Each structure stands twice: as structure tokens, then as C-alpha cells.
């Protein structure tokens, strides 16, 4: 075992043996910050030393990217083929068949979604073991993580969640509203908006682990110590994820239910029960992928003409007029005069808006450009 892992283990043991109360909260914050710091440095070292071998620099394509995460042989390659309707990822009945990232394209409800099948190895990845570090880089760049386990090993969900967490990936949680601005002097100043439970003492102790003694800290809404440490370390990725349980064709109804309930307990949300092999529940899984990615349909209406209600433009939730312009033509942003909108994102029909306007699902848009 490496000294880094030993250090972390020792700190985690101490953490486990420290009951949480008002008097210990500062000490606990310090321990957690120490662990986060060591882990972050180890990941950074691993990333820097990895050459990013063949297959890892995956070009993003399509409207969004989904990555399949799971142990070897749970059926990732089979699922990729099932979702994309092709036979691009070799499957075999033995472990470690996938050695590099294999991309596929799935079309669903008008959206083109890139699916990445990555090497089945993830345990220990956060510490840079095996090819884990490259895997992490790919996972961190995804718009959605699909955690795949097979029906006989649903407990692996815990390991995968842990690995993702240790890699700085935060799933299904909003980014906490915290800003830490380093200052030259004046110590740590804390400003809060709304009810905030963290006290200045804890914050000072945590920041000291990153050798920050002067800073302006702004916290909006209640956040935990862990959130604050995440903000301090600063390279966290916030991404949606869900769990699918594969190979349910191999078990009976009673066992399916048992496994499903077990995963709900471990993960918090309902998993999708699927069979990549037989195709069972695959349409529901496609719908879930689409819904989780948060797409919007935008209907384009030429100036003075009728809106095209047949073929919407598919964009991510939160997209602006500028995003739409960039999708339509490379000159549009430069030549942009104004846009007119009909729909949820505006107060009245045909309202004029600028490039920074945020669209809503099913808006109708006319873009007016200079010639
Ligand atoms: N019965 C059954 N077997 C499956 C299913 N999905 C995959 N398999 C089999 O499980 C083995 C491993 O699948 P593979 O896709 O290579 O797993 P990967 O290592 O995660 O990519 C292969 O023999 C597949 O045919 C499924 O839904 N049901
Ligand atoms: Mg595979």
C-alpha cells in the first residue's frame, strides 16, 4: 500500500473515531480538508504523469455525452451496442475486453447522444491505479454518468460511487454557492446570505489546510463542511447520474425486487432494471437518458415565414440565443442583430431579445441578422 493511501487511511480512522459535536467540528473540518488535499494532490500527480494513451482523447460529438461506468463484464459493451443499434464494441464472455474508450452514437427523440464505453476498471482509479486516471478524465468530461451493475453484484454500486466521489465527481447535487477570494491581509472574513450553519472557526481551520489565512468568503444558503472543502479544493465536477441494473433476464421477479430495493437504499434513487442482452426496458432507459440530459426543443421560424414545427433544434437546458446561433451557422453571432421569441422564456409574443437571452423548452425563435 502506498504511503498516500496509508496517510488517508489513518486520517479516516481518526475521523471515524471522532464524534461530531460543537467542540469537535473544527477538528473534523481540518481532518476532512487534509484528506481532500492529499487525495487531490495524488489525482493531480496521476493525471500529469499519464500520457493519455490511445483511445483516451475522445472527441466529443453529438448534442451531449453519456459515459457508462461499471466493473468488467457487467455488460457495458453489450449495452452500448443495444443503445446505438450497432456492433462497434467487441463483447466477450471474459473480463477486460474493452481496453480503450469506445464511442457510439445513439439517436433518440431527435437528439444525437454520444455514448462512451470505457474500460471496466475503476476500483482504485482515483489513486491512479492501472488505467484509472485516464478513465477519470473521460468520466469527468461527461454530461451524464450511467452507472451499470449486474444483477448479481449490485453492491458494487457503493464502490463505484466511492470512486467517483474520490475523483472529485459530485453526482446529483447542485454546486454549492460558495466563493473564496484570496486576499493579501485581513484574515478570513465571512459573509453569509440565508441560514448558514458553518462557523468562522471551522472555516479558518479548513482554509488553513490549503495555507489560506487571508480570504473573503461568501456563502449563500446552507452548506456542509464537505461542500466548503469542495469549494476550497476547487476542481469538482457536478454531474447527473443514475443506476441501471443489467442482466435481469437471468433472475426471477423476487430477486429483481430484492436487488432493486437494495440499490434504492445504497443510491437513494430507483435504478432501471434492464437486459442489454434481450432488450428488456431499453426504450425506458433511452427515455431516462434523454430526460436526465435536460434537452429542449427549439423551433426556428424564418423572418416573416412559418415556424418549422416538424424538426426542432435540440439544445441543452439553459442554452442561450448565442448557443443556438453557434449551432446554425458560424457567421450568425457576428452578424446578429436581434432575435424574436414566442414562448415560455418571454413575457409577450414576438419579444425582442439579445444573444444572452436564456431559452425555454419549445420556444419559437426568429433570428435577425445583418446581411
Ligand atoms: N444474460 C445476459 N448476459 C449479458 C447481458 N449483457 C451482457 N451479457 C453478457 O455478459 C458478458 C459481458 O458483457 P460485456 O458487454 O462484454 O461486458 P463489459 O465488460 O462490461 O463490456 C458477455 O458474455 C455478454 O454477452 C444481459 O443483459 N443478460
Ligand atoms: Mg466491454
Amino acid at each position: 500500500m502506498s504511503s498516500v493511501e496509508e496517510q488517508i487511511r489513518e486520517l479516516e480512522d481518526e475521523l471515524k473515531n471522532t464524534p461530531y459535536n460543537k467542540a469537535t467540528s473544527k477538528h473534523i473540518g481540518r481532518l476532512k480538508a487534509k484528506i481532500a488535499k492529499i487525495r487531490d494532490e495524488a489525482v493531480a500527480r496521476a493525471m500529469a504523469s499519464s500520457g493519455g494513451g490511445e483511445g483516451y482523447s475522445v472527441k466529443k460529438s453529438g448534442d451531449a455525452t453519456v459515459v457508462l461506468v461499471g466493473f468488467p463484464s457487467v455488460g457495458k459493451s453489450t449495452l452500448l451496442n443495444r443503445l446505438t443499434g450497432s456492433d462497434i464494441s467487441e463483447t466477450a464472455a471474459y473480463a477486460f475486453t474493452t481496453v480503450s474508450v469506445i464511442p457510439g452514437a445513439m439517436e433518440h427523440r431527435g437528439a444525437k447522444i454520444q455514448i462512451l464505453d470505457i474500460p471496466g476498471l475503476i476500483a482504485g482509479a482515483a489513486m491512479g491505479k492501472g488505467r484509472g486516471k485516464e478513465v477519470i478524465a473521460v468520466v469527468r468530461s461527461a454530461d451524464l454518468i450511467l452507472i451499470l451493475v449486474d444483477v448479481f453484484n449490485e453492491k458494487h454500486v457503493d464502490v463505484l460511487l466511492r470512486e467517483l466521489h474520490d475523483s472529485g465527481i459530485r453526482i446529483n447535487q447542485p454546486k454549492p454557492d460558495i466563493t473564496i477570494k484570496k486576499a493579501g491581509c485581513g484574515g478570513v472574513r465571512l459573509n453569509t446570505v440565508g441560514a448558514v450553519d458553518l462557523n468562522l472557526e471551522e472555516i479558518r481551520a479548513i482554509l488553513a489546510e490549503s495555507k489560506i489565512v487571508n480570504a473573503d468568503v461568501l456563502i449563500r444558503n446552507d452548506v456542509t463542511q464537505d461542500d466548503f472543502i469542495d469549494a476550497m479544493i476547487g476542481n469538482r465536477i457536478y454531474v447527473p447520474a443514475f443506476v441501471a441494473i443489467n442482466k435481469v433476464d437471468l433472475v426471477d421477479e423476487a430477486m429483481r425486487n430484492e436487488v432493486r430495493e437494495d440499490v434504492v437504499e445504497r443510491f437513494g434513487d430507483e435504478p432501471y432494471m434492464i437486459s442489454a442482452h434481450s432488450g428488456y426496458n431499453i426504450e425506458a432507459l433511452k427515455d431516462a437518458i434523454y430526460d436526465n440530459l435536460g434537452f429542449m426543443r427549439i423551433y426556428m421560424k424564418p423572418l416573416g415565414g412559418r415556424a418549422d414545427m416538424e424538426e426542432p433544434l435540440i439544445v441543452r437546458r439553459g442554452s442561450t440565443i448565442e448557443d443556438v446561433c453557434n449551432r446554425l451557422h458560424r457567421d450568425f453571432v457576428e452578424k446578429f442583430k436581434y432575435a424574436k421569441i414566442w414562448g415560455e422564456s418571454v413575457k409577450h409574443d414576438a419579444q425582442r431579445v439579445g444573444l444572452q437571452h436564456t431559452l425555454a423548452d419549445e420556444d419559437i425563435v426568429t433570428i435577425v441578422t445583418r446581411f
Side-chain angles (χ1 to χ4, degrees):
M1 192 184 274
S2 82
S3 66
V4 167
E5 279 167 276
E6 266 166 33
Q7 276 178 46
I8 290 179
R9 238 253 288 271
E10 271 171 29
L11 290 165
E12 276 176 344
D13 281 347
E14 193 180 342
L15 196 56
K16 232 180 279 157
N17 294 323
T18 313
Y20 185 91
N21 57 49
K22 270 253 163 337
T24 58
S25 67
K26 191 173 130 188
H27 182 58
I28 286 176
R30 188 181 293 139
L31 286 173
K32 284 181 170 173
K34 241 186 201 118
I35 294 168
K37 199 80 196 149
I38 294 171
R39 195 164 262 141
D40 182 58
E41 280 161 12
V43 172
R45 263 200 309 278
M47 301 281 236
S49 67
S50 79
E54 193 200 333
Y56 284 98
S57 52
V58 181
K59 260 217 186 70
K60 284 213 174 188
S61 76
D63 300 314
T65 300
V66 179
V67 61
L68 304 177
V69 170
F71 275 66
S73 299
V74 296
K76 295 183 299 299
S77 303
T78 311
L79 180 61
L80 179 76
N81 291 337
R82 179 61 75 173
L83 290 173
T84 59
S86 55
D87 198 9
I88 41 182
S89 188
E90 256 178 53
T91 62
Y94 51 85
F96 307 105
T97 50
T98 310
V99 293
S100 57
V101 177
I102 298 178
M106 167 181 122
E107 285 214 38
H108 194 61
R109 295 195 208 146
K112 259 208 192 71
I113 301 167
Q114 183 181 46
I115 315 266
L116 300 179
D117 171 15
I118 58 172
L121 260 183
I122 185 150
M127 288 285 100
K129 268 192 201 145
R131 310 197 69 167
K133 58 217 176 202
E134 290 100 335
V135 172
I136 289 170
V138 172
V139 177
R140 282 175 64 101
S141 72
D143 300 302
L144 171 69
I145 297 172
L146 203 174
I147 298 169
L148 194 64
V149 292
D150 78 39
V151 74
F152 303 110
N153 292 294
E154 88 276 9
K155 289 175 181 57
H156 281 165
V157 164
D158 293 345
V159 182
L160 297 165
L161 289 174
R162 176 94 214 212
E163 289 295 333
L164 291 169
H165 192 270
D166 288 353
S167 315
I169 297 164
R170 301 289 174 264
I171 62 175
N172 299 336
Q173 70 179 77
K175 187 176 177 176
D177 199 338
I178 301 169
T179 40
I180 302 169
K181 233 201 282 158
K182 284 188 215 173
C185 57
V188 175
R189 281 177 299 248
L190 174 62
N191 277 300
T192 57
V193 179
V196 174
D197 226 13
L198 284 185
N199 64 53
L200 187 57
E201 284 292 290
E202 285 169 81
I203 287 172
R204 273 207 193 105
I206 290 167
L207 287 175
E209 291 305 321
S210 276
K211 308 210 163 28
I212 299 172
V213 286
N214 301 304
D216 288 311
V217 175
L218 174 61
I219 301 177
R220 283 175 215 273
N221 305 323
D222 208 8
V223 299
T224 62
Q225 269 190 355
D226 296 310
D227 293 335
F228 188 80
I229 292 165
D230 280 343
M232 179 182 78
I233 302 284
N235 56 358
R236 303 308 190 218
I237 302 269
Y238 295 83
V239 62
F242 61 84
V243 176
I245 296 169
N246 192 34
K247 308 194 187 181
V248 301
D249 56 297
L250 297 177
V251 301
D252 63 14
E253 191 69 25
M255 178 155 171
R256 280 185 203 184
N257 283 331
E258 211 174 286
V259 170
R260 190 178 51 76
E261 278 164 25
D262 188 35
V263 169
V264 169
E265 220 156 89
R266 289 166 197 278
F267 181 64
D269 276 330
E270 285 282 331
Y272 290 83
M273 311 297 284
I274 62 166
S275 168
H277 189 69
S278 76
Y280 174 76
N281 262 345
I282 294 298
E283 279 310 302
L285 185 71
K286 286 184 180 180
D287 287 344
I289 290 172
Y290 182 95
D291 291 341
N292 270 276
L293 283 167
F295 288 117
M296 304 191 293
R297 289 152 295 179
I298 302 297
Y299 301 100
M300 300 309 298
K301 175 174 145 45
L303 192 59
R306 292 171 73 101
D308 177 0
M309 304 304 285
E310 298 290 313
E311 278 193 50
L313 194 68
I314 304 290
V315 295
R316 301 293 301 282
R317 202 179 293 144
S319 290
T320 60
I321 293 287
E322 183 168 358
D323 296 323
V324 167
C325 284
N326 281 325
R327 285 282 296 279
L328 294 174
H329 195 279
R330 61 193 150 84
D331 291 342
F332 264 36
V333 169
E334 207 180 301
K335 293 186 174 158
F336 180 83
K337 270 168 75 179
Y338 61 88
K340 276 205 242 179
I341 314 269
W342 291 256
E344 294 273 314
S345 77
V346 288
K347 290 207 181 74
H348 58 85
D349 278 355
Q351 188 174 319
R352 281 191 186 205
V353 299
L355 281 174
Q356 298 315 313
H357 178 80
T358 302
L359 292 157
D361 190 24
E362 298 200 83
D363 274 357
I364 297 172
V365 177
T366 295
I367 289 171
V368 181
T369 56
R370 284 181 276 110
F371 292 105

